[in-house]
Amino acid sequence: MALHNERFVRPPFDPRDLHRPLAPHDDLTATMVWREERSVTASLTLHYNKAMFILEPTEISRKLMRKRVSVCEYPDGRIEIRHGDHVLPYRVFDKMRQVNQAAVVDNKHLDAALMMARAFQELAPHHRSRNNNEPSRPSGSRTIFAEGQSEGAGKVDGRRIGRPKLKKLPQRLSAAELEARGTAQFVTR
């Protein structure tokens, strides 16, 4: 930044501060918001940021089937679904919920399944973050997505994370290779 400022900084034409104070009708919370358009399905749901939002069946929301609405995410973490001047009530179904092993009753067979589910969740770190295709926004502690996210977690590039690529095997193995693998008995000739 110092090199950039050294190269491009210029003195202002007018050194006075010409910022005007906010007028009473100015609403910064309505201006400083991340807006995205989403389509409402026939079942009054929409998807945003890997979560499904279920609209309450009101008079207004029933008329919005197969129409576009605005999802507004405020800097403090609040999310509103708006259509024109109307704020629509909704419930959230989070598709990225984690298994809470302490909340489940202890069971011999269930422990193994839960440990395997936890291992699978730890193997897929790219599914733990949201906004893979969006600009990075700070998430406050009051967001609906705050649980399970670490503070300051940046974007994750899903193209570079994942399982290692498998090596291609030859098309046909010789009889000696099949015997060495112990699979010669399963091959029909």
Side-chain angles (χ1 to χ4, degrees):
M1 192 162 92
L3 291 174
H4 182 274
N5 287 342
E6 182 180 310
R7 184 174 173 193
F8 294 108
V9 72
R10 298 287 181 262
F13 179 74
D14 189 355
R16 294 178 294 163
D17 184 9
L18 299 177
H19 291 95
R20 64 176 175 83
L22 287 176
H25 63 273
D26 289 337
D27 186 12
L28 283 182
T29 58
T31 306
M32 307 298 278
V33 64
W34 181 265
R35 293 179 196 271
E36 286 195 24
E37 293 276 320
R38 291 291 188 264
S39 294
V40 178
T41 65
S43 58
L44 294 179
T45 62
L46 60 106
H47 299 272
Y48 172 72
N49 207 2
K50 297 182 185 171
M52 182 168 56
F53 291 81
I54 304 166
L55 296 178
E56 297 295 330
T58 62
E59 232 179 272
I60 298 168
S61 62
R62 283 191 194 107
K63 296 175 184 174
L64 297 176
M65 290 182 196
R66 310 230 190 284
K67 294 190 179 166
R68 307 285 283 175
V69 294
S70 295
V71 179
C72 304
E73 188 173 349
Y74 292 93
D76 63 357
R78 288 181 300 121
I79 291 183
E80 281 184 353
I81 300 174
R82 301 183 68 89
H83 183 263
D85 294 334
H86 301 287
V87 177
L88 305 170
Y90 64 88
R91 291 175 294 157
V92 178
F93 176 74
D94 193 0
K95 296 188 271 187
M96 289 177 39
R97 288 188 288 185
Q98 300 290 320
V99 174
N100 185 359
Q101 194 168 5
V104 180
V105 178
D106 212 12
N107 186 332
K108 289 181 186 178
H109 302 289
L110 195 54
D111 275 347
L114 289 173
M115 290 185 68
M116 185 174 73
R118 180 175 282 168
F120 279 128
Q121 289 174 354
E122 290 171 358
L123 283 176
H126 60 282
H127 290 297
R128 289 181 180 236
S129 72
R130 299 180 188 276
N131 296 330
N132 286 339
N133 298 326
E134 305 299 334
S136 180
R137 299 186 298 274
S139 60
S141 60
R142 296 185 307 194
T143 67
I144 63 169
F145 304 120
E147 192 172 41
Q149 286 184 341
S150 60
E151 284 293 320
K155 287 174 51 176
V156 176
D157 188 359
R159 296 172 292 186
R160 296 197 177 130
I161 294 179
R163 298 182 183 99
K165 294 185 178 179
L166 298 175
K167 294 180 181 176
K168 289 187 177 180
L169 293 176
Q171 291 294 330
R172 295 184 183 258
L173 299 175
S174 67
E177 290 172 328
L178 290 172
E179 287 178 19
R181 292 184 179 195
T183 57
Q185 61 194 3
F186 300 110
V187 177
T188 58
R189 295 184 193 259

